[in-house]
Amino acid sequence: MKTGRWRWVNVPPEQSPKWLESAAVAAETKVRRSQRAVDDHRARCMTKGVGPDEALHEAELVLKVSKWRARTVRRDQRGLEQPPLGRTTPAFCSHGYRIFIHGGFTENEALTEFLAIDLETADERQRRLKDEFSVRLERDVSESTTRAAMNQREQQFKDQLFAARDRNARLCEAAAMLIEDRRSSLPALTTPPQPTCIASSAHTLWLQWPAVEFDALDRPLPQPVKHASTIDRSLHPASSRSLISAGSHTRIVEKEGPPRIPHYYLSVRGGFSNIQVGHRVSVAFMTTKPKRRGRSGETEEEEVVVEESKAPDRPDPTALLPRFTGTCVRMHGDKDLGHFDVVYDDGSKDYRIPRWRLRPADPGPWQLLYAGPGTSYEVQGIVPDYALAMEPKTAARCEFSLRTQFTEYTWGDDVDHRVRGDDLSLPCPPVVFATRELNDEERAHLKFKGTTDTANKTTGKKARKFKEAILLDNGVTLNVNGPGEVTADRGVNHDII
């Protein structure tokens, strides 16, 4: 026997700190092993790309119990190192293998600590710790299993909810696609023909357009028997529906009313430039040449005359001229009627600019001029009489656009049945027409015709009446007799005379 390495070992007494050192070291060793097992399981799950499994949960529970046991042994060891102080008249009670002590008095002070003293032997304590460890481990495993089951049920509920939402979204998308498919099966909107000017005067334009004979599906359209200036809703009753019983089955049959006659909507923009002080205007710039020297010695300038055609669709004489925007600051009267002073945006000024060189900076919105089944219209009162009599170059340019109704298709009450609806067609490309220009002889005749009292030398500008007329729906005509004087007539014949 090799006795050189032998050494004497003193067995520590029971219920001493050194007596619990071996148990504390074993508990801490168990904690380190449990920690390594948890790290190994976690790394394995990350390598496989899966979430925590049951083995990882069990290893975490073993680590938790091992830490609890190590803390318990170390706490008992510290309790043996520092025994509680002796005291008198404490409050205590016994429960199982323990006595619980609270408070008490020493010679110098009153104690408030709470103590728990074990009365069991070492074997009983080891057996108790082992049993408690097994019970705690079993309870933690049961709680973990219950929690995992609850998490699984919650995840299943979330999956079912997501599947239901996805199914509803797919149904809504399918319904929207069905509606889009039905809408796309409707024919495209049509474009009506452009109106043409068959005649023009100084203040009136006679427009005409070809009748639309086919709808969006190239089906023939009924034409009006006689001219009507307004829309008669009673001629176009809505489609009626009736139920026809055949045995035990009932089906819906669409009954179409009388065919709808196509209607035309004529809109206008522009026309006579009724410029007021403060309005924003666009001025056509023209080169000038010296005319003559006045009495004051200042040189007066004469504007270069721009020739224009007499056709209704003649081009704008100022179309090729540069334009500058400004603000109207003054309106001239008497012999300078129809002339304006303008301050440009750069601060410069221009005086006595004739109306024909001005136009509103904003052309304004489209205004409905006519609605009905007719294919012609007489646009009256475009230029006032006072402007015709007192101003040169009073030709007004109007922009017209045409749309049709009862030529487009929509879905009826039955989505599988297409009917002609009330939707309007696309507007035709705008077309511009201008009124005729008066010569000097016609303008002088108009002035002479407006003079009513030669004895008092009342000029036509003061005594003459306006002859502007505007045709409205339902056969109502507005007659503009003068500034602020408007009368309405009904039943007036608007045929071209």
Side-chain angles (χ1 to χ4, degrees), residues 296-313:
S296 61
E298 298 180 356
T299 303
E300 298 180 358
E301 296 181 347
E302 179 183 3
E303 297 177 349
V304 176
V305 178
V306 180
E307 297 293 338
E308 60 173 321
S309 172
K310 294 184 179 181
D313 55 349

Side-chain angles (χ1 to χ4, degrees), residues 40-191:
D40 292 342
H41 283 292
R42 185 176 290 111
R44 189 177 298 108
C45 292
M46 294 179 62
T47 303
K48 294 180 179 180
V50 296
D53 53 2
E54 295 182 359
L56 178 59
H57 286 300
E58 185 175 357
E60 291 177 349
L61 294 176
V62 171
L63 176 62
K64 182 178 178 181
V65 174
S66 299
K67 289 181 178 180
W68 166 79
R69 185 172 184 180
R71 288 195 302 269
T72 302
V73 175
R74 287 298 183 184
R75 185 178 65 251
D76 295 342
Q77 190 179 19
R78 288 192 300 269
L80 294 176
E81 290 177 355
Q82 298 178 357
L85 297 176
R87 67 199 66 197
T88 59
T89 63
F92 71 95
C93 67
S94 62
H95 179 71
Y97 56 88
R98 288 180 179 179
I99 295 178
F100 298 94
I101 302 175
H102 179 262
F105 296 91
T106 62
E107 295 179 357
N108 301 324
E109 60 180 346
L111 303 177
T112 59
E113 61 183 357
F114 182 82
L115 302 176
I117 300 177
D118 294 336
L119 302 178
E120 59 187 351
T121 61
D123 296 338
E124 293 177 349
R125 185 172 181 277
Q126 292 292 336
R127 186 166 52 254
R128 178 180 60 80
L129 291 177
K130 184 176 180 181
D131 295 340
E132 288 182 357
F133 177 81
S134 301
V135 171
R136 182 179 291 271
L137 181 61
E138 183 179 358
R139 183 179 61 196
D140 291 343
V141 170
S142 177
E143 292 179 356
S144 176
T145 304
T146 304
R147 191 181 304 108
M150 293 178 63
N151 293 337
Q152 184 178 5
R153 292 186 61 183
E154 183 179 0
Q155 187 64 33
Q156 291 178 356
F157 176 77
K158 290 181 179 180
D159 294 341
Q160 293 176 0
L161 182 61
F162 177 78
R165 291 178 178 177
D166 183 68
R167 183 167 58 254
N168 293 336
R170 290 178 178 274
L171 292 177
C172 294
E173 184 178 1
M177 293 296 294
L178 179 61
I179 295 175
E180 184 66 23
D181 181 65
R182 294 187 182 280
R183 289 181 178 178
S184 61
S185 63
L186 292 175
L189 297 179
T190 59
T191 302

Side-chain angles (χ1 to χ4, degrees), residues 427-447:
C428 71
V431 60
V432 180
F433 299 114
T435 58
R436 188 174 61 85
E437 191 73 57
L438 291 180
N439 53 34
D440 296 339
E441 182 179 357
E442 292 173 337
R443 187 175 294 106
H445 177 70
L446 185 60
K447 290 182 180 180

Side-chain angles (χ1 to χ4, degrees), residues 191-225:
T191 302
Q194 291 180 330
T196 57
C197 184
I198 58 176
S200 64
S201 66
H203 54 74
T204 305
L205 292 175
W206 285 268
L207 304 182
Q208 189 177 15
W209 53 87
V212 178
E213 299 180 354
F214 299 95
D215 59 11
L217 291 178
D218 292 334
R219 296 176 181 175
L221 292 170
Q223 299 302 323
V225 179

Side-chain angles (χ1 to χ4, degrees), residues 184-315:
S184 61
S185 63
L186 292 175
L189 297 179
T190 59
T191 302
Q194 291 180 330
T196 57
C197 184
I198 58 176
S200 64
S201 66
H203 54 74
T204 305
L205 292 175
W206 285 268
L207 304 182
Q208 189 177 15
W209 53 87
V212 178
E213 299 180 354
F214 299 95
D215 59 11
L217 291 178
D218 292 334
R219 296 176 181 175
L221 292 170
Q223 299 302 323
V225 179
K226 60 180 179 179
H227 175 74
S229 59
T230 58
I231 300 178
D232 189 359
R233 296 293 182 182
S234 62
L235 295 179
H236 314 294
S239 299
S240 59
R241 305 178 64 184
S242 62
L243 297 178
I244 299 178
S245 299
S248 60
H249 300 281
T250 302
R251 60 188 180 90
I252 297 178
V253 178
E254 295 286 344
K255 291 186 178 181
E256 296 291 342
R260 294 184 173 184
I261 300 174
H263 282 64
Y264 305 92
Y265 290 80
L266 181 65
S267 302
V268 65
R269 184 172 63 178
F272 181 75
S273 300
N274 188 14
I275 299 173
Q276 303 293 331
V277 175
H279 287 186
R280 296 282 297 169
V281 294
S282 175
V283 185
F285 177 77
M286 298 186 63
T287 58
T288 59
K289 62 181 180 179
K291 179 180 179 184
R292 59 183 176 84
R293 186 175 296 275
R295 296 180 181 178
S296 61
E298 298 180 356
T299 303
E300 298 180 358
E301 296 181 347
E302 179 183 3
E303 297 177 349
V304 176
V305 178
V306 180
E307 297 293 338
E308 60 173 321
S309 172
K310 294 184 179 181
D313 55 349
R314 49 185 169 271

